[in-house]
Amino acid sequence: MTAVDSHASVTGQTPVGATLRDVIAAYVGLTKPRVIELLLLTTVPVMFFAAQGVPSLGLVVATVLGGTLSAGSANALNCVYDRDIDEQMRRTRRRALPRHIVSPRAAFVFGIVLAIVSTLVLGLWVNWLSAGLALAASAFYLFVYTMVLKRRTTQNIVWGGLAGCFPALIGWTAVTNGLAWAPVVLFLVVFFWTPPHTWALAMRYRDDYAAVDVPMLPVLRSGEAVARQIVAYSWVMVAVSLALWPIAGTGVFYPIAAVVLGATFLVEAHLMWARSRTSDDLSVIKPMRLFHWSNLYLSLLFVAVALDPLLSR
């Protein structure tokens, strides 16, 4: 860190040399756009499913805008709380706060403003049930996962991941202004998907987590033990995904897609487990292969959720 950067971190001023473009990019980065993209992929398809067709464009736009602002708020406040460990980890040290482009105070105000605006957008333009669910998800992510679970237990991402499941509920309530079993099933799909997805990434960066004493499962368990857990969660995830068929009375397209996607996911999980039994070397285990597939799996599964009512007419 340069002397200028060190001074900026104390005073909260933008470091000399940072352009307006740098500052704007830093604020956008605080919201973690890639995470938001994944959350929206579990919101919009559920809206199609709830509407049993194409929902109102205005409703979709309002829900996406409110959901983006809500998730961005939670992510920004998470960056404020975790700035000490973010500065030490390779994966996160290029974020805005570790680089001192944005001060912690400014990032905190930014997060709070996003939370207020997102609640008003969802409440006034969608409905207050959706607004309440979004606010609850953000509060859970910040107060339960970030402040309590993340640095204390290997089960941090299992229960902390509940926050990332709420978009499935919000997509449904945005259209129906009520809850039902179908979005609960999709909520549970995301819940059981989160550990395999996150543990695969954590295996890749386990040295980073170990250096900052964050007890992610791959830090405290062998690659084989983590892979075995991933396989177990993957089987439950696929089983839950298939439950949507009888519970929601889908057409035949969804269960076919769920079987094909689920079988492929299970093959990848079992292959990673098999590799981990021969070596604990990450170049052998290849956890990022499962991580990238997990993103594709969830995206395609929810696309199938959106397409099923359109193809079943």
Side-chain angles (χ1 to χ4, degrees):
M1 184 191 306
T2 67
V4 171
D5 286 340
S6 179
H7 174 71
S9 68
V10 174
T11 63
Q13 298 174 349
T14 301
V16 176
T19 66
L20 177 61
R21 182 177 180 179
D22 292 333
V23 174
I24 293 174
Y27 275 103
V28 172
L30 284 172
T31 67
K32 303 181 185 178
R34 289 186 178 180
V35 175
I36 293 175
E37 287 175 9
L38 200 59
L39 293 176
L40 294 180
L41 275 170
T42 59
T43 304
V44 177
V46 177
M47 296 182 72
F48 278 74
F49 192 67
Q52 286 296 292
V54 180
S56 161
L57 178 60
L59 182 62
V60 172
V61 170
T63 305
V64 167
L65 177 60
T68 297
L69 295 174
S70 179
S73 163
N75 290 333
L77 294 173
N78 167 266
C79 286
V80 174
Y81 189 85
D82 277 347
R83 64 189 184 277
D84 58 329
I85 60 176
D86 281 352
E87 194 161 343
Q88 301 176 58
M89 295 176 63
R90 285 179 302 159
R91 186 172 67 86
T92 57
R93 64 177 55 152
R94 299 299 297 169
R95 288 177 177 172
L97 290 173
R99 293 172 62 201
H100 308 293
I101 295 179
V102 177
S103 71
R105 180 180 179 182
F108 177 78
V109 172
F110 178 64
I112 294 299
V113 170
L114 288 184
I116 294 171
V117 175
S118 69
T119 302
L120 292 175
V121 167
L122 289 171
L124 296 175
W125 293 350
V126 182
N127 56 60
W128 289 105
L129 175 57
S130 298
L133 288 172
L135 194 60
S138 296
F140 188 92
Y141 181 68
L142 181 63
F143 295 112
V144 178
Y145 169 67
T146 302
M147 294 185 177
V148 177
L149 297 174
K150 184 173 182 177
R151 307 190 193 201
R152 289 179 172 84
T153 172
T154 58
Q155 296 299 298
N156 49 17
I157 197 60
V158 176
W159 299 108
L162 280 168
C165 304
F166 274 75
L169 301 181
I170 294 168
W172 184 275
T173 59
V175 174
T176 67
N177 199 20
L179 286 169
W181 283 111
V184 172
V185 171
L186 294 170
F187 176 100
L188 292 174
V189 169
V190 181
F191 175 77
F192 289 110
W193 168 88
T194 300
H197 169 78
T198 309
W199 285 336
L201 181 65
M203 288 180 75
R204 167 67 177 81
Y205 293 100
R206 61 187 178 188
D207 291 341
D208 271 4
Y209 286 111
V212 294
D213 295 322
V214 173
M216 297 295 287
L217 188 66
V219 172
L220 301 178
R221 301 288 186 271
S222 67
E224 191 275 335
V226 176
R228 186 171 64 249
Q229 289 263 20
I230 285 175
V231 167
Y233 274 92
S234 299
W235 273 100
V236 178
M237 174 194 73
V238 173
V240 172
S241 73
L242 292 172
L244 185 67
W245 180 22
I247 289 176
T250 70
V252 297
F253 176 77
Y254 173 79
I256 291 173
V259 166
V260 172
L261 292 170
T264 307
F265 194 104
L266 290 173
V267 168
E268 286 293 336
H270 276 275
L271 285 174
M272 192 179 84
W273 185 23
R275 292 192 295 267
S276 72
R277 295 167 76 177
T278 64
S279 172
D280 203 47
D281 189 333
L282 293 181
S283 65
V284 175
I285 299 175
K286 300 177 181 177
M288 292 304 288
R289 177 170 169 167
L290 182 70
F291 172 78
H292 291 306
W293 170 247
S294 69
N295 285 329
L296 185 59
Y297 166 84
L298 194 70
S299 300
L300 293 178
L301 184 74
F302 274 79
V303 167
V305 168
L307 291 178
D308 185 82
L310 300 177
L311 297 175
S312 301
R313 287 181 172 180

